[in-house]
Amino acid sequence: MKVTQHIENANGKSLFSFEILPPLKGQNIQCIFDNIEPLMEFKPPFIDVTYHREEYEFKELSSGLLEKKIVKKRPGTVGICSAIQNKYQVDAIPHILCGGFTKEDTENFLIDMDFLGIDNVVALRGDAVKSEIYFKPEKEGNHYASELVTQISNLNNGIYLDADLQNTNKTNFCIGVAGYPEKHMEAPSIDSDIHFLKKKIKNGADYIITQMFFDNQKFFEFVDKCRAAGITVPIIPGLKPISTKKQLNLIPHRFKVDLPDDLIMAVVKAKDNEAVAQIGIEWCINQSKELLKAGIPVLHYYSMGKSENIKAIAGEVF
Ligand code: FAD
C-alpha cells in the first residue's frame, strides 16, 4: 500500500516508521530481521531501506602507482525490501539515487521493484562519492532528484525510455522525496531549496520526508515555509536520537544541522556513552511528543542499524 494511503487510513492518528541500512557486504539477512524484530510491536506501516552507492578505493601498487577499485559496501537494498515484505507483510521502501545510475539503470531498477510488488520509493539525488567534492551524475543519468521523480512519474504513466514500446505496463509508485528543515548543505538559501523542493512535488512526488533535526521549531518553520510556497503534500519528520559523544561533532559536520546548546551541554557533561544514549532517548521522546501534539501524520526514526534506542522511544510515545 502507498504511504499516502497509510496516512489517509490512519484517520489523523500518528504512525510510527523507521529507516534501516543494508548490512555491510558479507552479512546475512538475519541481522536485518534481528534489528527490525524489536520494533514490530509498534506496527510500522512502512520501513525505509537506504541505498548506498559505490565508493572508490585506491590501492598503492609496488610500482608506486595507485590502482582505483570500485566497491559497493552495502549492497542489497531491493532484496532486503522484498525479504521484509515477505516476512512481515509490511511495506518496505527502497531509496533510489540519481548517483551511479544511468536512466536505463533506473528504469530497470524500477521494473524490478514493480515486479516484486513494491509500491513505494524514495527518490534522491545522492551525495558525491567520498573521493569527490561535488556530485557528478552519470553521463546518461538524472542530475537532480526532481528529474528522477519525472522519470518515475513517466513510468507510472506507461512512458518508458524507448518511445517505440507499445501497450506498456503503467507502474503505480508512490514517490517520497527529501526535505531539509535547515536547508540542504549545497543550497545557497532555504528559499532556493524550497523552490527546488516544490519542483520535485510538481514533477510527481507524493510526500516529503525530512533530514534529521533536533529543534522542533526548525521543523515547524520549515513546514510553514513549504505551505506558504504552495506545497500541500504530507511532510514527515525524520528523527535521530544521539547515542555517542562522537556524534556531537559528526552530525553537524556530516548533515549540516545544528544541535541545541542544552543538548550539547548535556552530552558534554555525560560520563560515558551509556549516559549519552539515555540523554538522546529523552531528547527524542520530548521531540516526538511535541510533534504528536501538533498532529504530525508519521514520525520517522533513523535507526542507523540499531534498534534499542528507537524501541525505548517508541515505547514511551506510541
Ligand atoms: P536534490 O533534491 O536533487 O537537491 C540537491 C541540491 O540541489 C539541493 O541543494 C537543491 O536545492 C539543489 N537543486 C535541486 N534542483 C536543482 C536545480 N534544478 N538547479 C539547481 N539546484 C538544484 N543518500 C544516499 O546516498 N542514500 C540514501 O538512502 C539516502 N536517503 C536519504 C533520506 C532522507 C530522508 C534524506 C533527507 C537524505 C537521504 N540521503 C541519502 C542523502 C541525500 O542523497 C543527499 O542529501 C543529497 O546530497 C541530496 O539529495 P536530494 O534528493 O535532496 O537532492
Side-chain angles (χ1 to χ4, degrees):
M1 200 197 287
K2 294 180 173 197
V3 166
T4 44
Q5 283 169 321
H6 283 297
I7 293 174
E8 249 176 71
N9 294 352
N11 279 325
K13 189 173 166 276
S14 300
L15 302 169
F16 163 78
S17 83
F18 61 95
E19 174 186 296
I20 59 164
L21 274 66
L24 286 168
K25 195 182 255 183
Q27 308 279 308
N28 61 23
I29 191 72
Q30 192 55 41
C31 66
I32 289 288
F33 295 152
D34 291 345
N35 253 310
I36 290 179
E37 206 79 49
L39 301 176
M40 294 316 284
E41 65 175 286
F42 305 107
K43 305 203 172 3
F46 59 90
I47 298 169
D48 277 49
V49 183
T50 54
Y51 190 93
H52 298 258
R53 62 176 299 184
E54 74 285 2
E55 293 174 33
Y56 301 147
E57 280 181 356
F58 294 89
K59 193 173 134 206
E60 190 167 354
L61 303 173
S62 53
S63 61
L65 292 172
L66 292 177
E67 184 184 57
K68 182 172 157 185
K69 213 174 133 199
I70 300 176
V71 287
K72 225 175 203 184
K73 293 188 175 165
R74 293 182 185 272
T77 299
V78 177
I80 291 168
C81 285
S82 183
I84 290 174
Q85 294 205 156
N86 273 330
K87 185 168 167 78
Y88 297 104
Q89 276 73 56
V90 161
D91 283 298
I93 309 184
H95 291 189
I96 173 168
L97 306 180
C98 302
F101 283 74
T102 63
K103 287 187 186 168
E104 181 75 24
D105 295 335
T106 301
E107 187 169 278
N108 294 336
F109 187 93
L110 292 165
I111 289 170
D112 273 346
M113 293 198 298
D114 185 48
F115 287 170
L116 286 166
I118 291 169
D119 299 329
N120 300 277
V121 37
V122 173
L124 301 141
R125 188 197 69 179
D127 288 318
V129 286
K130 279 194 182 129
S131 51
E132 292 175 352
I133 299 174
Y134 299 107
F135 172 79
K136 249 200 250 154
E138 292 301 301
K139 207 160 150 243
E140 304 291 332
N142 291 303
H143 290 58
Y144 292 104
S146 53
E147 292 176 13
L148 176 56
V149 171
T150 298
Q151 187 177 1
I152 303 167
S153 296
N154 280 345
L155 220 60
N156 281 348
N157 288 310
I159 303 167
Y160 288 65
L161 294 172
D162 179 353
D164 293 338
L165 291 181
Q166 304 272 317
N167 301 320
T168 49
N169 170 52
K170 290 182 183 174
T171 58
N172 192 19
F173 291 113
C174 176
I175 310 168
V177 288
Y180 301 82
E182 298 175 62
K183 89 172 183 63
H184 181 254
M185 60 183 86
E186 293 163 27
S189 72
I190 183 87
D191 289 344
S192 83
D193 209 23
I194 289 177
H195 169 80
F196 290 119
L197 177 57
K198 193 172 172 187
K199 195 166 172 194
K200 295 194 265 194
I201 309 303
K202 194 174 142 264
N203 292 0
D206 298 288
Y207 68 97
I208 295 164
I209 189 148
T210 78
Q211 182 57 280
M212 63 182 76
F213 56 89
F214 296 86
D215 175 356
N216 285 350
Q217 207 43 44
K218 302 219 164 153
F219 173 77
F220 293 134
E221 284 166 14
F222 172 70
V223 173
D224 287 348
K225 275 184 190 273
C226 288
R227 300 304 181 222
I231 295 172
T232 55
V233 298
I235 302 179
I236 299 176
L239 296 166
K240 149 101 187 96
I242 282 221
S243 55
T244 63
K245 284 207 182 210
K246 216 167 136 192
Q247 289 173 349
L248 267 194
N249 305 103
L250 208 128
I251 287 176
H253 176 71
R254 171 81 183 78
F255 301 104
K256 301 289 180 287
V257 298
D258 285 339
L259 298 174
D261 285 338
D262 289 356
L263 177 59
I264 294 172
M265 287 322 292
V267 172
V268 166
K269 288 179 191 161
K271 74 173 192 315
D272 53 25
N273 276 341
E274 208 178 306
V276 174
Q278 196 48 41
I279 291 164
I281 288 169
E282 280 161 24
W283 190 273
C284 198
I285 288 173
N286 289 336
Q287 272 194 281
S288 304
K289 285 186 172 168
E290 192 183 18
L291 290 165
L292 281 194
K293 232 173 159 182
I296 303 302
V298 186
L299 303 192
H300 186 73
Y301 295 88
Y302 295 113
S303 81
M304 308 269 189
K306 296 206 174 71
S307 50
E308 308 91 72
N309 52 358
I310 309 296
K311 183 176 165 71
I313 295 159
E316 284 292 318
V317 177
F318 290 92

